[in-house]
C-alpha cells in the first residue's frame, strides 16, 4: 500500500474533497508547473488564476475614477466599493449588526481600534499571551492613557489559554469602565483555536472584545450572528491570496459609538474648517477610512469571497484537517537511530480545536537544536516554501520554549547594543532553548503530495548532527542568507 493509500484509509473524509484536486489543476496550476510546494498559507493565501483574470477584465472594461464624487466614473467606482462592502458583511453574516471598515490589512484595522478605544485609567487591557504583534502593539495606546496591560498565560505543551486564570482576569474588571480584551480566533503560531465562547463570557463581565480572525477565516466560517465580538479584524490576502493591501475592521454597530478617532483626514470628515479649527467626522465607516481607499483593489475582495463560497470553506477545512493530522502523526514518529525524537512540536499534537498551522523544530541525535534558518534554506533549495522565526507572536514563542524574563535578559546581555539575532538565539541555545521555529501551514490548494514532499525532506535529517546541518542567518535587508561570521 502506498503512503497515499494508507493516508486515505486513515482519513476517509479526504475523499470528499476531490473537487479541490480539480480546482488545483485548473486554478493553481502554477504550483505544479514550477514544481513548488507551498506551505505558508498562514503567511499568505494563494489566489486562483480566475480571480486575477476576472479582476483584470473588470478594470480593463470600465472607466473607473476615485469614488465618492458625482461623475460617472466615480459613481461606478463607488458602486463597486459598496458592493464589496456588502459582500463582506453578507459573507460573515453581519448585515444590519456590523459596519465594515476597509483598511490596508489586519494590522491597520487593529491600529484603528487601538487609537480609537476610549482607554481610561479605571479601565483595563487584557491580551492573551498568544497574540500577533499587531495586537500586542495596542498596549502602547493603552500605556499612553495610563492603562496597564495584563497578559493571560498559556498552558504547556498545548499552548491553550489557561481558562481559570483568564476567568480571574475577566472578573477583575470594573464593568462601568472601558475594558478591552483581545485574542486570536486561531493562533498563527500553534494553530490552536481559542474558544469563541470567551467572546460572550467577556462581554457579560463588562469587556469589549476584539477578535483577531486573520488566521482563522482562511479555513473556518465566522458567523457574526452566532459569535458577536465588538471588533473583528482580518486581511483578505490570507483568505484568498488576492488582493493584497486590503483588510477589514468589522465593528458591531452598538460598539462603533464608543470609538473616538484621535484625528481626522481626507475622506473622514463631513465638514472641516481651517479658520475655525473645527471638524465634523463622517458617520459610520466613512469616519474611519483615511484618505483614498485602495479602490481598484477592493472589488477583488468580492471576487475572492465568491471564489471561497464556490469552493466551500467546509471542504477546505476538511482537507486541511486531514493533511494536518497526517503531518503531525508523521512528524512525531520521526526518530533518529538512537530512538531520540527528530522533531519537537509546539502546540496540540492532535486535531482537537486546532487548525492547519504546525510549528516545530528539528533536533539532532544528541538532542541539539538544528538551526531553523538553515532548515528554511535547505527547504528552499527543494522548492518548499515554509516560514521560520517567531511569526510576530513573541508571547506564544516564549511560552512554547518556557522562555522567561531572565532568559530574554540573558540573551540580550550576550548581544549588547548590537542587534544580532543569530548571537541572541545562540545565547538562548546555550540554555537549551530556541528563539524561533519552523511553521508549516496548508490551505485551499494543498494536496497530499505537498505534505508528503515535506515529510521526505524532514526525513533527510535522520542521524545528522546540528553541526553538519549547519547554521545560517538571514539578512532581511539584502534578502540573503549570511553564514555565521561571513
Ligand atoms: C493572527 C494574525 N493577526 C494579525 C496578522 C497581521 O496581518 P497583516 O500583516 O496582514 O496586517 C497576522 C499576520 O500574519 C496574523 O496571522
Amino acid at each position: 500500500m502506498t503512503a497515499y493509500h494508507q493516508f486515505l484509509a486513515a482519513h476517509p473524509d479526504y475523499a470528499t474533497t476531490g473537487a479541490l484536486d480539480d480546482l488545483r489543476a485548473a486554478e493553481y496550476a502554477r504550483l505544479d508547473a514550477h514544481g513548488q510546494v507551498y506551505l505558508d498559507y498562514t503567511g499568505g493565501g494563494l489566489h486562483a488564476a480566475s480571480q486575477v483574470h476576472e479582476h483584470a477584465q473588470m478594470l480593463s472594461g470600465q472607466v473607473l475614477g476615485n469614488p465618492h464624487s458625482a461623475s460617472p466614473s466615480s459613481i461606478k467606482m463607488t458602486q463597486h466599493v459598496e458592493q464589496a462592502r456588502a459582500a463582506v458583511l453578507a459573507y460573515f453574516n453581519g448585515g444590519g449588526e456590523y459596519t465594515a471598515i476597509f483598511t490596508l490589512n489586519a494590522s491597520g484595522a487593529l491600529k484603528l481600534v487601538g487609537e480609537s478605544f476610549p482607554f481610561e485609567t479605571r479601565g483595563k487591557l487584557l491580551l492573551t499571551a498568544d497574540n500577533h504583534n499587531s495586537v500586542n502593539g495596542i498596549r502602547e495606546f493603552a500605556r499612553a492613557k495610563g492603562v496597564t496591560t495584563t497578559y493571560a498565560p498559556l498552558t504547556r505543551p498545548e499552548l491553550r489559554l489557561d481558562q481559570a486564570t483568564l476567568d480571574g482576569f475577566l472578573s477583575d474588571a470594573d464593568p462601568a469602565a472601558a475594558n478591552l480584551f483581545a485574542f486570536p480566533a486561531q493562533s498563527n503560531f500553534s494553530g490552536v483555536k481559542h474558544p469563541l465562547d470567551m467572546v460572550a463570557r467577556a462581554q457579560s463581565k463588562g469587556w469589549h472584545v476584539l477578535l483577531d480572525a486573520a488566521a482563522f477565516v482562511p479555513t473556518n466560517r465566522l458567523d457574526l450572528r452566532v459569535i458577536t465580538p465588538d471588533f473583528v479584524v482580518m486581511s483578505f490576502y490570507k483568505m484568498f491570496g488576492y488582493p493584497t493591501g486590503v483588510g477589514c475592521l468589522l465593528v458591531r454597530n452598538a460598539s462603533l459609538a464608543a470609538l473616538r478617532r484621535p484625528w481626522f483626514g481626507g475622506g473622514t470628515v463631513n465638514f472641516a474648517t481651517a479658520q475655525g479649527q473645527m471638524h465634523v467626522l463622517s458617520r459610520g465607516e466613512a469616519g474611519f477610512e483615511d484618505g483614498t481607499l485602495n479602490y481598484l483593489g477592493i472589488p477583488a475582495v468580492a471576487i475572492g469571497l465568491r471564489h471561497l463560497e464556490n469552493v466551500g470553506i467546509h471542504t477546505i477545512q476538511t482537507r486541511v484537517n486531514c493533511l494536518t493530522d497526517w503531518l503531525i502523526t508523521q512528524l512525531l514518529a520521526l526518530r533518529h537511530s538512537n530512538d531520540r525524537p527528530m522533531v519537537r512540536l509546539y502546540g496540540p499534537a492532535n486535531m482537537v480545536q486546532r487548525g492547519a498551522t504546525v510549528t516545530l523544530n528539528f533536533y539532532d541525535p544528541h538532542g541539539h537544536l538544528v538551526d531553523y534558518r538553515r532548515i528554511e534554506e535547505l527547504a528552499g533549495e527543494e522548492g518548499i516554501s515554509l516560514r521560520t522565526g517567531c511569526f510576530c507572536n513573541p508571547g506564544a514563542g516564549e511560552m512554547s520554549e518556557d522562555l522567561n524574563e531572565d532568559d530574554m535578559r540573558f540573551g540580550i546581555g550576550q548581544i549588547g547594543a548590537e542587534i544580532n539575532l543569530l548571537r541572541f538565539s545562540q545565547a538562548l541555545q546555550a540554555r537549551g532553548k530556541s528563539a524561533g521555529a519552523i511553521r508549516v501551514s496548508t490551505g485551499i490548494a494543498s494536496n497530499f503530495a505537498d505534505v508528503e514532499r515535506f515529510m521526505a525532506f524532514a526525513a533527510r535529517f535522520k542521524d545528522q548532527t546540528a553541526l553538519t546541518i549547519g547554521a545560517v542567518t538571514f539578512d532581511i535587508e539584502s534578502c540573503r542568507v549570511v553564514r555565521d561570521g561571513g
Side-chain angles (χ1 to χ4, degrees), residues 44 117 120 139 180 221 246 261 275 282 304 324 370 456 459:
F117 192 78
E120 49 169 328
R139 71 183 186 218
L180 183 64
R221 173 70 77 180
V246 188
R261 289 226 71 193
Q275 300 294 322
S282 302
T324 306
V370 177

Side-chain angles (χ1 to χ4, degrees), residues 45-69:
L46 292 184
H47 60 268
S50 65
Q51 283 172 250
V52 181
H53 188 65
E54 190 180 334
H55 188 220
Q57 273 192 325
M58 187 212 117
L59 296 183
S60 49
Q62 299 175 27
V63 180
L64 299 168
N66 198 328
H68 301 302
S69 178

Side-chain angles (χ1 to χ4, degrees), residues 360-405:
L360 61 133
N361 262 317
F362 285 92
Y363 284 81
D364 80 359
H366 308 297
H368 295 144
L369 178 72
V370 177
D371 188 324
Y372 55 87
R373 288 154 295 217
R374 176 73 176 136
I375 298 287
E376 183 174 27
E377 183 187 34
L378 293 169
E381 286 170 10
E382 296 202 13
I384 300 174
S385 291
L386 40 76
R387 192 161 287 257
T388 63
C390 77
F391 324 118
C392 293
N393 190 332
E398 289 159 18
M399 291 253 162
S400 71
E401 276 285 322
D402 197 13
L403 291 174
N404 51 35
E405 216 176 310

